[in-house]
Amino acid sequence: MPHPLPSGPEQRPIATVDIVIVTLSEGALRLGLQRRDREPHKGELALIGGYVRPEEDGDIEASARRILADKGRLTGLYLEQLRSFGGPSRDPRGWSISIAYLALVPEATLRAAETRGAPPFELIDPDRCPRLPFDHGRIIAAALQRLRSKASYSTLPAFLLGSQFTLPELKSVYETVMGTPLNDSAFRRKLMEMHILEEVEAKAAATAERKRPAQLYRLAKETLTEFDRTV
Amino acid sequence: MPHPLPSGPEQRPIATVDIVIVTLSEGALRLGLQRRDREPHKGELALIGGYVRPEEDGDIEASARRILADKGRLTGLYLEQLRSFGGPSRDPRGWSISIAYLALVPEATLRAAETRGAPPFELIDPDRCPRLPFDHGRIIAAALQRLRSKASYSTLPAFLLGSQFTLPELKSVYETVMGTPLNDSAFRRKLMEMHILEEVEAKAAATAERKRPAQLYRLAKETLTEFDRTV
């Protein structure tokens, strides 16, 4: 059955990018959502997203980074592409594709973006998320599944922290993402064996919980490292 | 910086689907490629692919299944979406997005499709794959990475076999995909503990290597099962 070739623009679906911003607030995972500033669904909480712009974007990740900069005043984030969602009814404007990304962002980075003019990020508990427009609920479910399934064998959770952190802070974020307590010495040993951390010269100041200054670390490379699964 | 909304069709990228067909031939992983029947790159070996058709397809997986049926005479396959690739130069027709899928297909299913009129599938060693058009080499790399990384904790490799198989056949396909020999009794024990296999009433006939008929199994559910990683 030969079909006519639908390469003409009039037969093309709408192509968009949506980014699931995940942050850590008071030790708990939170979604960073914004209220939409235009129709459809104007005023509703939703993922940050926008169109792929062939005239501007070098690739799909460039679309995501442009949207994050324009609408969220966010640059230099760690981004991971999830999967694409598409169909006739997910967007009232027509048959559309959304290429979904996961962005892990420290809360301080979101607050700094707001001081540079970004509309407020509302931090929502993913387990108590209201019904969202489009299929954003489904996209968020895919993002959380990716984050949790990769946590145990990669440095992914570390991107929820700032550039420098103590080992107890890092352990805590892994525990939060994985939803399970980790053995302290096994966690330290695994990290040290993997050579993914570098000591930072400065130390974290003493606090009420921490009587002495603590050693600070950073990721040896600010890219995602997958742990050797056989370790 | 407000941008005009590029929801008009003239500003939309081309949207396509490409499917990486992986099969097992004489115990080795092979790509199932076809020669393109139209421009661009007419006559060259490439992934099976085509346009997303908003007027026909209910979602992106439906696009992939329609293309597999039309161009490959293949139906009912296990499909897994990989990621999407996009940019101005991957397709000479213009800025394009390809949503990539992995399909695991027994060799007998490919040969049966050819008898129903599918153009020949050429089985190519992924380690000796010629330079392919578009960015199909990059898409194939993503497919093989997904297959290998999921092999050790899911039933994914089983889809390379027919609907019924012996335990040694199943172990062999895991070893091929993972590229490492597996311990016989540990493999059997893990499979039996996971309750993912059902015994089939028929038995596999004796062969030169196998003096007695062997028990045949099938997947308890013909869907992807992720093994409990803690086992």
Side-chain angles (χ1 to χ4, degrees):
Chain A
M1 299 157 286
H3 285 282
L5 282 181
S7 62
E10 65 286 351
Q11 289 138 311
R12 293 178 190 166
I14 296 165
T16 64
V17 168
D18 288 301
I19 304 123
V20 182
I21 292 178
V22 175
T23 192
L24 200 65
S25 182
E26 296 177 358
L29 283 184
R30 293 289 180 260
L31 304 166
L33 304 180
Q34 285 184 336
R35 294 203 176 270
R36 288 179 58 82
D37 68 348
R38 61 192 69 167
E39 297 295 345
H41 301 291
K42 186 172 176 176
E44 294 181 44
L45 274 183
L47 296 177
I48 196 167
Y51 292 102
V52 174
R53 294 181 188 275
E55 72 279 17
E56 292 182 50
D57 302 331
D59 56 23
I60 306 173
E61 187 172 312
S63 307
R65 294 196 180 281
R66 175 183 47 73
I67 292 160
L68 283 167
D70 282 1
K71 299 188 176 174
R73 301 286 188 272
L74 292 165
T75 56
L77 299 185
Y78 175 76
L79 282 180
E80 182 154 320
Q81 195 193 109
L82 300 167
R83 46 164 292 175
S84 296
F85 298 81
S89 53
R90 56 174 303 284
D91 188 316
R93 291 165 289 192
W95 214 107
S96 72
I97 293 169
S98 170
I99 301 133
Y101 280 83
L102 167 65
L104 299 179
V105 193
E107 185 181 8
T109 304
L110 294 179
R111 297 307 172 211
E114 290 170 348
T115 68
R116 292 192 301 273
F121 290 99
E122 299 192 25
L123 302 191
I124 305 294
D125 181 347
D127 294 328
R128 294 172 185 191
C129 190
R131 192 174 173 81
L132 298 180
F134 309 103
D135 53 358
H136 287 185
R138 207 174 150 209
I139 295 175
I140 288 168
L144 294 173
Q145 187 185 23
R146 172 75 64 92
L147 175 58
R148 287 175 176 140
S149 75
K150 264 192 146 169
S152 62
Y153 66 90
S154 81
T155 53
L156 199 56
F159 293 96
L160 289 165
L161 294 171
S163 58
Q164 303 183 356
F165 41 78
T166 66
L167 280 190
E169 286 168 349
L170 187 61
K171 177 165 170 270
S172 173
V173 70
Y174 273 86
E175 290 175 328
T176 298
V177 173
M178 294 168 69
T180 183
L182 298 172
N183 177 279
D184 204 53
S185 62
F187 180 77
R188 281 171 184 262
R189 194 171 56 241
K190 178 169 178 177
L191 285 174
M192 292 309 162
E193 281 171 354
M194 298 304 299
H195 302 293
I196 57 164
L197 297 184
E198 288 175 351
E199 288 191 7
V200 176
E201 291 218 4
K203 296 214 173 193
T207 62
E209 296 83 45
R210 185 168 61 208
K211 300 250 165 70
R212 287 177 234 181
Q215 181 61 53
L216 281 169
Y217 294 86
R218 65 178 169 224
L219 287 181
K221 284 182 191 164
E222 277 253 341
T223 53
L224 181 72
T225 304
E226 301 214 351
F227 301 154
D228 183 345
R229 289 190 197 214
T230 61
V231 170
Chain B
M1 296 159 291
H3 284 282
L5 282 182
S7 62
E10 66 286 353
Q11 290 137 311
R12 293 178 190 168
I14 297 165
T16 63
V17 168
D18 287 302
I19 304 122
V20 182
I21 292 177
V22 175
T23 191
L24 200 66
S25 183
E26 295 178 357
L29 283 184
R30 293 290 180 258
L31 304 165
L33 305 180
Q34 284 184 336
R35 294 203 176 271
R36 287 179 58 81
D37 68 349
R38 61 191 69 166
E39 296 296 348
H41 301 293
K42 185 172 177 176
E44 293 181 45
L45 273 183
L47 297 177
I48 197 167
Y51 292 101
V52 173
R53 295 181 189 273
E55 71 279 18
E56 291 183 51
D57 301 332
D59 58 21
I60 307 173
E61 186 172 312
S63 308
R65 294 196 179 279
R66 174 183 48 73
I67 291 161
L68 283 167
D70 281 1
K71 297 187 176 174
R73 301 285 188 274
L74 291 165
T75 56
L77 299 184
Y78 174 76
L79 281 180
E80 183 154 319
Q81 194 192 111
L82 301 167
R83 45 163 293 175
S84 296
F85 298 81
S89 54
R90 54 175 304 283
D91 188 315
R93 291 164 290 193
W95 215 107
S96 71
I97 292 168
S98 170
I99 302 132
Y101 281 82
L102 167 65
L104 299 179
V105 194
E107 185 182 7
T109 303
L110 294 179
R111 296 308 171 212
E114 290 171 347
T115 67
R116 292 191 301 272
F121 290 98
E122 299 192 25
L123 302 191
I124 304 294
D125 181 347
D127 294 328
R128 294 172 184 190
C129 189
R131 193 176 171 79
L132 298 180
F134 310 102
D135 53 358
H136 286 186
R138 209 174 149 210
I139 295 176
I140 288 167
L144 294 173
Q145 188 186 20
R146 171 76 63 92
L147 175 58
R148 287 175 176 140
S149 75
K150 264 192 144 167
S152 62
Y153 67 88
S154 81
T155 53
L156 199 56
F159 292 95
L160 289 164
L161 295 170
S163 59
Q164 303 184 356
F165 42 80
T166 66
L167 280 190
E169 285 168 349
L170 186 62
K171 177 166 169 272
S172 174
V173 70
Y174 272 86
E175 290 175 327
T176 299
V177 172
M178 296 168 68
T180 183
L182 297 172
N183 176 279
D184 204 55
S185 62
F187 179 77
R188 281 172 184 261
R189 195 172 53 243
K190 178 171 178 175
L191 284 174
M192 293 309 163
E193 282 171 355
M194 300 301 302
H195 302 293
I196 57 166
L197 297 184
E198 288 175 353
E199 289 192 6
V200 176
E201 291 220 3
K203 297 214 173 197
T207 61
E209 297 83 43
R210 185 168 62 207
K211 300 252 167 65
R212 287 180 230 181
Q215 181 62 52
L216 280 170
Y217 294 86
R218 66 179 168 223
L219 287 180
K221 284 181 192 167
E222 277 254 341
T223 53
L224 181 71
T225 304
E226 302 214 351
F227 301 155
D228 182 346
R229 288 186 196 218
T230 61
V231 170

